[in-house]
Amino acid sequence: MRTQAQIATRPLDDVMEGLHATPKHLPYRLLYDARGAELFEKITFVEDYYLTRAELALLEAQLPAIAALVGPNARVIEPGSGAGRKTRMLLAALESPATYVPIDVAEDQLTENATSLRVEFPQLEVLPVLGDYTRPLSIPAPTKPTGRTLVFFPGSTIGNFEPEEARAFLTKLAHLAGPDAMILLGADGNANREELLRAYDDREGVTAAFDLNVLAHVNTTHAASFDLAKFEHRAVWNEQRSRIEMHLVSRAAQTVTVAGEPISFDLDEPIITEHCYKHAPATLEMILRSSGWRVTNTFVDPAHCILMWPATAEKRPTRGWST
Ligand code: AVI
């Protein structure tokens, strides 16, 4: 009989590979299990996590301009749709949006969100896709004609990718979305160490709970023996790479079993669980351009350096995802 750990083949490989590496790391997507998705949603309301608040305000201010660029009957595709607060604002501002395709790994949230959007926007066709948007996916075709396709990718999630991965992902989105499509990309360009450390290690402890939950997740899915009390969440500003990192630091020299294998930790040894690049605006704009997107505008919140870019796709053949 196969064990639970053997069944989870791909994540197990990622986990073991990461835990044997130096420094140790875990794939960041593991943070977003059902509990993690809930905790992340809670983070977006935390006072110290300025990103969501600032982006919501920027989006609200720029929505009329965005709606004018997108035009009527749009098909909106949103990788990593989450709870959909920004989506609702966008859909309400667009002129008769036709189709909405949310893509997410959190099944309960995806289903609940789709159900409530169908009630809130009765004319909108909602076509949820359950899956990891960094992997090849099939996007359902709309059943009625639509106007422009808009890929909505706010929330600084692009910062969670390595720069080369970000380029590959944005290129894939350009292929998927087609020649006349648009993207609305939101990212945080803040490089203020103090603000970032506070945002990623908030005083309410929500980010710490979110980070530690990854160990509980690995305990269940990979038959591991992490004692959460023996690890501590830490936010670290990596100035050289211009990124904020989340570390889980071992409070003791200890050995943990993961899928039957012993993994040793020194006192103070970290596991890197997530990083978010805080690219300078010009850097991210260059990544967008080299991924097949023509930047049309840049909207900025100068107080926190939150940016949104509407950009238009250039024509390329489809690769990676299909419709
Ligand atoms: C989803 N992502 C953009 C968040 C970020 O800011 O990197 C995840 C997060 N991690 C800790 N707090 C928020």
Side-chain angles (χ1 to χ4, degrees), residues 32 40 43 49 51 155-157 160 200 207 210 246 274 276:
Y32 300 89
F40 176 63
I43 288 175
Y49 190 74
L51 285 83
S156 274
T157 306
N160 297 131
Y200 286 82
T207 308
F210 169 68
M246 294 210 305
E274 192 180 50
C276 192

